[in-house]
């Protein structure tokens, strides 16, 4: 018997320990010390020994007593250890808030001040505390000399040039404009040659088209005199063409055409002799030759054609002069442009394009001497351009060709880096016993490298700096706590832990060398979970701490903070994942824009590194978008793990297509309609009082899901059928249990479907500890008839708790008032007949609701909800307004008698 009692005692102790162990595992606070391991092994041995003792069933009393004596000290040890653990757990639970604050200060200080752990006592520039010698011979790299040598090699590396496509395009555009001007001028001058070159040579055609007017008139006169001489009678001596006669004839013509003055005697003009002009004489000869082989009519036509060509040539020269006036840099000369044959001009244009393309492909560097470019152009002209057009083409090319090579800074930098990397390190030999630095001497960079190589640098933890940083962080956490106490949202310990983890992600990313840290994810998640005030507080407190403690780019810091502030301010206002995705794009643009603006303000966005600044701004924008995407992906998991409710999650939970709500609508349609009406009332009151409307709606939709365990046990689902409480049960105690069970069953369903704790709270709190008055009254009547029956109010009250928030308190009031408001429209006229609608005034409805709310208040159901007595009256008015919107008056339609004529019309 004693053995059984001892075993029972030991079993109780082990059960107690097992519960403590499970609680520790659930809270994540299980100690893993060596003592804990020994304790668990001891418990396991004790349990096995007791099992073996029970199975052996020995009858030897002495052996049983021996076992008892051996087990008693161990049982006392188990009891003592369990008591210690219980005290430790209770203390940790009571001080959990302080523990989390301490963890926050230590962890933030440790991550942000990570560079303070391994600081050296000896610094470059400080005096050496003692003379230090080399403990052994070693070859040590002189980093300063190596760096200087590599810089020299990098600086002397050749620059890489790249073609400037924009300049090439400009050159080709200018060239085409010049050629178009030439085509326009030649189009005015007409085709050349304008006549058959067999009859008139090319040189003669050039002369006839461009010779002065006096020479042209003399030439015509010479041709005419030659014609007259050919017409003299036979036997008369024919005089050959003489330049002197031409000059005399020209003089006579001028005298005839010059008017004589009365006051003066006529002056004789000196005759002009063109005999020395070979072009003149050749042109006259070719025209006379043409007369001999053709008719006078054809000669006249030729002369008219020449006159027309001369006229067009004159217009072309005027056009050329006009273009020169507009563009003084025009490269065309009259003789070079208009004297070319049409075929030569086409070849010249093609050749100019080919030469330009080849020279631009080879590239023209800045500062190239002009004579080198001229030689290159001349060399190309011999191949691609006709000989007569070389001068013209050279002028055109030299006018348009410009340097088209620019420095390829990126490739130049890469080449310089490769050249620097190929330079071997400069090694210096330090012999054993050699003095590295004397006492009191200033430590140079080379001394520091040698000391570092021999591990003679004394490293230490900068406790003073860490304490200063810890003090700053403690002040920041104090500000956070003050803000937390002044916002509507009450943080749980798990919420504080999540805020700490998200906050640590920012300095943590910087500590591992990631330049694009998690500001956007921090702001987006904190703003979505806990609101803009708390999120902005965290971002604002991190900014000065990181700016002072860490060596990082101020532009990068401000860009990240800008994205974090935008996410913090807007996140909780959004109601869909799509809107959050668009917010991520806005954060990306904000981060990139702020980075670019800061770089412009400090003057780093100008000069040769502008494209690097643009690239960095783009990377910051992409990092903001990337971290926003990470935050969106983590958000559902964090909501589940840390039991959070965000506006988006509440909107998803309120979706009527959720499995639990679809079951509620299908299995308990009356309860579902009741739920929708309660939700309408509660939403209106929550909106007016500034409560969480989304939480009220989602919580109301789930507050009566427990009625699905027995739908017909509730009158709204009986649809006019028999009431099972009156026909089957007939026991108010059992009926009350069924009614109360919809709370416990609702909690079971809510946990099974992983509803958030904030939603689960509506299930018991909307009933609080209210009395189930109907069945309580029945029980009292039965007790009056049967004195042996005792009515305990606890049997007819819900288990609670009473509402712990304004939201659950509003739902309790809406749930109580909904049935009362519905009953105002219906009055049972008499048994067996349909209900009769009755008209109820607003004052009557308001009076009834005030009575209901007063009863809840007097029953102490709302003492923990945070609702005030003044707000109760306001809630009653809101409920009546909503009720009026649902049950507004309608006009009375006249009664129409049905007749056959009406259907036939």
């Amino acid at each position: 018997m004693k053995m059984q009692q001892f075993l029972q005692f030991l079993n109780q102790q082990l059960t107690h320990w097992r519960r403590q162990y499970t609680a520790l595992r659930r809270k994540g606070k299980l100690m893993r010390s060596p003592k804990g391991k020994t304790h668990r092994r001891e418990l396991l041995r004790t349990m096995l020994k007791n099992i073996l003792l029970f199975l052996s069933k020995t009858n030897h009393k002495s052996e049983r007593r021996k076992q008892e004596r051996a087990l008693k000290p161990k049982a006392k040890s188990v009891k003592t250890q369990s008591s210690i653990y219980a005290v430790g757990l209770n203390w940790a639970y009571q001080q959990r808030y302080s523990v989390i604050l301490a963890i926050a200060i230590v962890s933030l200080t440790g991550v942000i001040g990570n560079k303070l752990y391994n600081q050296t006592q000896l610094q470059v520039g400080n005096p050496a505390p003692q003379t230090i010698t080399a403990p052994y011979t070693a070859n040590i790299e002189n980093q300063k000399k190596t760096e200087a040598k590599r810089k020299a090699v990098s600086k002397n590396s050749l620059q890489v040039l790249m073609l400037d496509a924009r300049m090439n395009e400009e050159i080709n555009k200018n060239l085409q404009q010049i050629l178009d001007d030439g085509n326009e001028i030649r189009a005015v001058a007409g085709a050349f040659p304008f006549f058959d070159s067999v009859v008139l040579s090319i040189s003669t055609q050039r002369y006839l088209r461009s010779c002065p007017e006096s020479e042209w008139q003399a030439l015509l006169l010479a041709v005419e005199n030659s014609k007259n001489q050919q017409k003299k009678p036979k036997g008369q001596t024919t005089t050959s063409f003489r330049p002197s006669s031409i000059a005399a004839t020209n003089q006579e013509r001028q005298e005839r055409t010059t008017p004589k003055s009365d006051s003066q005697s006529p002056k004789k003009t000196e005759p002009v002799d063109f005999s020395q002009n070979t072009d003149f004489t050749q042109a006259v000869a070719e025209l006379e030759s043409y007369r001999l082989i053709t008719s006078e009519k054809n000669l006249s036509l030729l002369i008219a054609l020449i006159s027309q060509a001369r006229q067009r040539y004159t217009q072309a020269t005027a056009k050329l002069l006009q273009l020169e006036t507009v563009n003084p840099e025009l490269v065309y000369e009259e003789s070079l442009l208009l004297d070319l044959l049409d075929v030569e001009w086409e070849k010249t244009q093609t050749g100019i394009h080919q030469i330009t393309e080849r020279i631009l492909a080879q590239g023209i560097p800045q500062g190239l001497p002009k004579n080198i470019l001229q030689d290159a152009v001349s060399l190309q002209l011999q191949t691609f351009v006709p000989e007569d057009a070389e001068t013209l083409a050279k002028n055109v090319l030299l006018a348009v060709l410009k340097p088209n090579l620019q420095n390829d800074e990126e490739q130049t930098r890469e080449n310089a880096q490769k050249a620097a990397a190929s330079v071997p390190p400069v090694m210096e030999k330090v012999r054993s016993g050699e003095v590295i630095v004397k006492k009191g001497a200033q430590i140079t960079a080379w001394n520091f490298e040698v000391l570092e190589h021999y591990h003679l640098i004394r490293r230490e933890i900068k406790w003073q700096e860490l304490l200063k940083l810890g003090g700053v962080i403690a002040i920041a956490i104090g500000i956070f706590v003050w803000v937390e106490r002044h916002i509507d949202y009450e943080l749980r310990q798990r919420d504080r832990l999540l805020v700490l983890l998200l906050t640590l992600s920012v300095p943590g990313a910087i500590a591992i060398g990631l330049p694009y840290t998690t500001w956007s994810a921090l702001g987006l998640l904190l703003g979505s979970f806990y609101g803009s005030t708390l999120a902005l507080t965290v971002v604002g407190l991190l900014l000065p701490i990181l700016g002072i403690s860490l060596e990082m780019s101020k532009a990068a810091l401000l860009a990240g903070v800008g994205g974090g502030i935008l996410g913090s301010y807007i996140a909780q206002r959004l109601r869909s994942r799509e809107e959050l995705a668009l917010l991520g794009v806005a954060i990306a643009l904000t981060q990139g824009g702020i980075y670019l603006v800061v770089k412009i303000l400090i003057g780093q966005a100008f000069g040769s590194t502008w494209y690097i600044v643009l690239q960095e701004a783009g990377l910051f924008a992409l990092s903001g978008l990337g971290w926003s995407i990470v935050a969106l992906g983590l958000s559902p998991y964090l909501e589940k793990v840390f039991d959070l409710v965000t506006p988006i999650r509440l909107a998803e939970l309120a979706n009527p297509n959720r499995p639990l709500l679809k079951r509620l609508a299908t299995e308990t349609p009356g309860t579902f309609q009741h739920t929708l009406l309660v939700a309408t009332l509660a939403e209106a009151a929550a909106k007016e009082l500034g409560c969480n409307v989304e939480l009220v709606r989602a919580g109301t939709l789930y507050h009566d899901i427990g009625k699905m365990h027995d739908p017909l046990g509730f009158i709204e689902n009986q649809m006019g059928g028999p009431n099972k409480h009156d026909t089957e049960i007939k026991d108010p105690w059992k009926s009350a249990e069924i009614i109360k069970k919809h709370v416990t069953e609702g909690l079971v369903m809510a946990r099974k479907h992983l509803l958030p704790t904030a939603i689960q709270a509506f299930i018991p709190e909307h009933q609080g500890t209210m009395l189930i008055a109907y069945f309580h009254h029945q029980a009292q009547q039965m007790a009056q008839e049967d004195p042996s029956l005792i009515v305990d109010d606890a049997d007819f009250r819900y288990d609670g708790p009473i509402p712990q928030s304004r939201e659950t308190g509003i739902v309790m009031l809406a749930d109580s008032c909904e049935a009362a408001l519905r009953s105002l429209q219906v009055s049972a006229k008499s048994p067996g007949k349909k209900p009769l609608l009755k008209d109820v005034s607003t004052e009557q409805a308001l009076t009834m609701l005030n009575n209901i709310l007063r009863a809840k208040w007097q029953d102490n159901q709302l003492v923990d909800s945070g609702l005030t007595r003044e707000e109760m009256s306001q809630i009653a008015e809101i409920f009546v307004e909503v009720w009026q919107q649902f049950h507004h008056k309608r006009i009375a339609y006249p009664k129409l008698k049905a007749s056959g004529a009406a259907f036939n019309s």
Side-chain angles (χ1 to χ4, degrees):
M1 189 66 182
K2 291 182 179 181
M3 189 62 180
Q4 291 179 355
Q5 291 177 354
F6 175 74
L7 288 175
Q8 289 178 358
F9 167 76
L10 183 60
N11 188 39
Q12 291 175 358
Q13 293 297 323
L14 292 176
T15 303
H16 177 71
W17 179 83
R18 193 183 300 110
R19 288 174 181 171
Q20 294 293 331
Y21 180 82
T22 305
L24 286 170
R25 288 290 300 273
R26 187 181 297 115
K27 295 180 179 180
K29 299 179 180 179
L30 183 63
M31 292 182 290
R32 301 182 181 277
S33 63
K35 292 183 178 180
K37 292 180 180 179
T38 306
H39 177 53
R40 287 194 291 273
R41 292 195 197 99
E42 194 69 26
L43 285 173
L44 185 59
R45 291 196 197 98
T46 303
M47 198 162 61
L48 289 175
K49 288 181 180 179
N50 280 286
I51 292 172
L52 293 174
L53 181 63
F54 176 75
L55 293 176
S56 64
K57 296 182 180 179
T58 178
N59 293 322
H60 301 286
K61 293 182 179 181
S62 58
E63 189 173 351
R64 285 202 302 268
R65 289 170 183 169
K66 187 184 297 183
Q67 292 289 343
E68 290 176 8
R69 286 194 298 269
L71 288 173
K72 281 181 180 180
K74 294 181 180 179
K76 290 180 180 179
S77 175
V78 170
K79 186 175 181 179
T80 303
Q81 293 288 346
S82 299
S83 300
I84 293 173
Y85 285 144
V87 171
L89 288 173
N90 290 333
W91 180 88
Y93 181 78
Q94 293 173 0
Q95 303 296 327
R96 61 192 184 281
Y97 186 61
S98 302
V99 169
I100 290 180
L101 289 180
I103 292 174
I105 295 174
V106 172
S107 58
L108 285 171
T109 305
V111 174
I112 297 175
N114 64 90
K115 292 185 178 180
L116 300 174
Y117 302 150
N118 198 23
Q119 294 292 314
T120 58
Q121 289 183 347
L122 302 178
Q123 298 288 341
V124 176
N126 293 342
Q130 62 184 25
T131 300
I132 305 175
T133 58
Y136 54 88
T137 302
N139 289 322
I140 304 173
E141 178 187 356
N142 192 324
Q143 295 183 1
K144 186 176 181 180
K145 291 183 179 180
T146 302
E147 187 66 22
K149 190 174 180 181
R150 288 175 178 173
K151 281 185 178 179
V153 172
S154 175
K155 186 177 181 180
N156 294 330
S157 61
L158 296 177
Q159 287 189 342
V160 179
L161 301 178
M162 62 184 295
L163 293 176
D164 189 349
R166 182 181 57 81
M167 181 58 68
N168 286 351
E169 184 179 354
E170 181 181 347
I171 291 172
N172 288 321
K173 183 179 178 180
N174 294 337
L175 175 62
Q176 190 59 46
Q177 181 62 43
I178 292 175
L179 295 179
D180 289 342
D181 291 341
N183 287 326
E184 184 179 355
I185 295 170
R186 287 183 61 88
V188 173
F192 187 78
F194 55 85
F195 199 70
D196 190 357
S197 60
V198 177
V199 177
L200 290 178
S201 65
I202 298 299
S203 59
T204 299
Q205 291 189 44
R206 287 195 184 103
Y207 171 73
L208 291 176
R209 193 175 63 161
S210 61
C211 68
E213 183 64 22
S214 59
E215 291 187 27
W216 170 243
Q217 294 297 332
L219 189 146
L220 291 177
L221 183 60
V223 173
E224 183 179 353
N225 290 338
S226 176
K227 173 184 175 182
N228 294 333
Q229 290 178 2
Q230 290 179 2
K231 288 183 178 181
K232 286 185 177 183
K234 294 182 180 180
Q236 186 175 358
T237 305
T238 301
T239 306
S240 61
F241 166 73
R242 292 184 181 86
S244 61
S245 64
I246 295 174
T249 305
N250 188 34
Q251 180 181 359
E252 292 174 0
R253 177 176 293 184
Q254 289 179 1
E255 290 176 354
R256 288 195 301 268
T257 57
T258 303
K260 294 181 179 180
S261 175
D262 295 337
S263 61
Q264 289 182 342
S265 60
K267 293 183 179 181
K268 292 185 179 181
T269 307
E270 293 294 330
V272 181
D273 187 5
F274 296 106
S275 60
Q276 302 300 322
N277 191 337
T278 57
D279 293 333
F280 182 89
T281 57
Q282 182 180 352
V284 172
E286 289 183 6
L287 288 174
E288 288 182 352
S289 300
Y290 183 65
R291 174 187 290 156
L292 296 176
I293 63 175
T294 186
S295 62
E296 289 293 334
K297 182 179 179 180
N298 289 338
L299 180 61
S300 299
L301 292 175
L302 175 58
I303 291 174
L305 180 63
I306 295 172
S307 298
Q308 184 181 4
R310 286 178 56 79
Q311 184 179 2
R312 299 190 68 170
Y313 186 87
T314 302
Q315 294 175 354
T317 54
K319 180 70 174 177
L320 181 60
L321 182 61
Q322 180 183 358
L323 290 177
E324 287 179 351
T325 304
V326 177
N327 183 12
E329 298 180 357
L330 192 67
V331 297
Y332 291 126
E333 295 181 9
E334 177 183 336
S335 59
L336 297 177
L337 177 64
L338 300 178
D339 288 350
L340 290 177
L341 303 180
D342 289 347
V343 176
E344 291 177 337
W345 173 244
E346 293 297 329
K347 290 182 179 179
T348 300
Q349 292 187 85
T350 303
I352 288 174
H353 279 296
Q354 291 176 340
I355 293 171
T356 303
E357 184 177 353
R358 295 187 67 175
I359 292 179
L360 292 181
Q362 294 174 358
I364 305 174
Q366 296 284 348
L368 182 69
K370 188 176 293 185
N371 61 331
I372 296 179
L373 182 61
Q374 291 176 353
D375 294 342
V377 170
S378 300
L379 184 64
Q380 298 290 336
L381 289 173
Q382 298 175 4
T383 306
F384 295 100
V385 175
E387 184 178 357
D388 293 340
E390 287 185 1
T391 304
L392 174 65
K394 184 175 182 180
N395 291 340
V396 171
L397 290 169
L398 292 177
V400 298
L401 290 176
K402 297 178 182 178
N404 68 331
L405 290 178
Q406 62 179 0
N407 292 335
D408 188 346
E409 296 186 4
E410 184 175 355
Q411 190 63 40
T412 301
R413 185 170 59 255
E414 290 182 2
N415 289 352
Q417 290 175 352
K418 289 180 181 178
S422 62
V423 174
V426 178
M427 308 298 292
E428 294 190 9
K429 189 173 184 179
V430 179
R431 300 184 180 279
S432 177
E434 182 179 344
V435 175
I436 300 173
V437 61
K438 293 183 179 180
K439 181 179 180 180
Q442 191 176 18
I443 299 175
T444 64
W446 167 244
N447 297 147
F448 190 85
E449 291 175 17
V450 176
L451 293 172
E452 182 73 20
H453 177 81
Y454 287 118
H455 303 288
L456 297 176
I457 299 296
R458 300 174 184 176
R459 297 193 176 274
E460 63 177 355
I461 298 176
K462 297 289 186 179
W463 291 107
Q464 187 176 1
E465 299 296 328
L466 281 174
L467 288 176
K468 290 180 181 178
L469 179 60
V472 172
I473 292 174
I475 294 172
I477 291 177
I479 296 174
F480 173 83
V481 172
W482 183 85
V483 173
E484 176 195 339
R485 295 183 184 277
H486 287 78
I487 61 174
D488 295 334
Y489 195 94
E490 183 178 355
L491 296 185
R492 303 161 297 177
Q493 302 309 322
R494 67 183 71 181
D495 297 324
R496 297 186 180 96
L497 181 61
L498 178 58
V499 172
L500 174 61
L501 292 176
L502 293 176
T503 305
L504 283 171
S505 67
V506 177
I510 298 173
I512 63 176
L514 189 64
Y516 313 107
T517 190
T518 62
W519 286 106
S520 57
L522 174 70
L524 206 154
L525 290 174
L526 288 181
S528 178
F529 293 161
Y530 305 114
S532 59
T533 303
L534 202 66
L536 288 172
T537 301
V538 173
V539 174
L541 291 174
L542 267 182
L543 171 61
I545 293 175
L546 297 184
I548 296 171
S549 305
L550 299 179
E551 297 177 0
M552 59 183 303
S553 169
K554 297 301 182 284
L557 180 62
L558 292 176
V561 170
I565 290 175
L566 181 64
S568 302
Y569 187 71
I570 298 179
Q572 201 172 45
R573 303 183 181 185
L574 306 182
R575 295 296 182 268
S576 67
R577 306 285 180 188
E578 181 181 1
E579 291 177 341
L580 281 178
L582 293 176
L583 175 59
V585 176
I587 289 173
L589 296 176
T590 301
Q591 289 197 177
I594 291 177
Y595 184 86
L596 186 59
V597 168
V598 173
K599 286 294 185 180
I600 291 174
L601 291 177
I602 62 179
Q604 293 186 6
F606 305 103
S608 59
T609 60
W610 62 269
Y611 68 94
I612 299 177
V613 174
L614 286 179
Q615 180 182 353
E616 286 294 322
L619 290 175
F620 267 97
L622 289 177
S623 71
L625 180 60
W627 283 118
S628 299
I629 293 173
V630 171
L632 289 176
L634 287 176
S635 180
Y637 300 102
L638 294 176
E639 290 171 1
K640 290 280 188 182
V641 173
F642 289 90
D643 191 25
L644 297 167
V645 285
T646 61
I648 294 176
R649 191 181 184 194
L650 290 174
E652 293 172 349
L653 290 172
N655 188 344
N657 290 319
R658 301 282 294 192
L660 210 53
L661 295 181
K662 289 182 74 173
R663 280 187 56 197
L664 184 66
T666 304
E667 299 176 15
T668 57
T671 300
F672 187 70
Q673 293 301 320
H674 157 76
T675 298
L676 295 179
L677 293 174
V678 173
T680 304
L681 294 172
E683 276 188 85
K687 185 176 182 181
E688 191 68 24
L689 297 180
C691 299
N692 191 333
V693 178
E694 290 85 1
L695 179 60
V696 167
R697 178 164 183 79
T700 307
L701 291 176
Y702 290 94
H703 82 285
D704 270 346
I705 57 175
K707 291 183 179 180
M708 287 188 287
H709 86 282
D710 188 1
L712 296 179
F714 303 88
I715 192 168
E716 67 264 21
N717 299 313
Q718 294 170 2
M719 302 300 178
N723 189 338
K724 63 185 293 185
H725 296 284
D726 298 333
T727 59
E728 298 178 12
I729 302 175
K730 299 178 181 180
D731 185 350
W733 281 269
K734 291 184 179 179
S735 297
E737 284 297 324
I738 292 174
I739 300 300
K740 290 168 63 176
K741 199 173 182 180
H742 90 275
V743 172
T744 55
E745 289 294 329
L747 288 173
V748 171
M749 292 181 183
R751 295 188 185 108
K752 181 179 179 181
H753 287 80
L754 302 178
L755 294 182
T757 303
I759 300 298
Q760 295 182 23
F762 283 84
I763 297 174
E765 291 180 21
H766 86 279
Q767 296 291 359
T769 58
M770 289 192 302
L771 187 68
I772 306 175
Y774 181 80
F775 295 112
H776 181 261
H777 180 66
Q778 280 189 355
Q780 285 180 333
Q781 288 181 338
M782 293 175 65
Q784 289 177 1
E785 296 175 0
D786 185 1
S788 62
L789 295 176
I790 299 175
V791 179
D792 187 1
D793 288 353
D795 295 335
F796 296 92
R797 281 192 178 272
Y798 289 98
D799 297 330
I802 60 175
Q804 300 296 306
S805 65
R806 290 159 62 85
E807 287 79 9
T808 55
I810 289 173
V811 174
M812 168 185 274
L813 300 178
D815 185 65
S816 301
C817 294
E818 185 272 336
L821 288 171
R822 198 186 325 170
S823 68
L824 289 178
Q825 289 294 90
V826 180
S827 174
K829 185 175 181 182
S830 61
K833 292 188 178 182
K834 293 183 179 179
L836 178 67
L837 294 179
K838 64 178 181 181
D839 191 12
V840 179
S841 65
T842 303
E843 291 75 13
Q844 290 175 319
L846 188 58
T847 300
M848 184 186 65
L849 292 191
N850 278 323
N851 291 334
I852 294 174
L853 299 186
R854 188 181 300 109
K856 302 296 181 194
W857 184 267
Q858 293 174 352
D859 196 22
N860 294 324
Q861 296 296 317
L862 300 167
V863 292
D864 294 338
S865 66
L867 294 173
T868 63
R869 188 66 186 88
E870 292 75 14
E871 289 174 337
M872 303 289 285
S873 301
Q874 189 178 355
I875 290 171
E877 293 175 0
I878 295 169
F879 287 171
V880 171
E881 289 177 5
V882 176
W883 168 73
Q884 286 178 325
Q885 294 171 6
F886 274 94
H887 301 287
H888 55 81
K889 292 183 178 180
R890 297 182 180 272
I891 60 173
Y893 288 91
K895 295 182 178 179
L896 300 177
K897 294 183 179 179
S899 63
F903 292 101
N904 295 328
S905 59

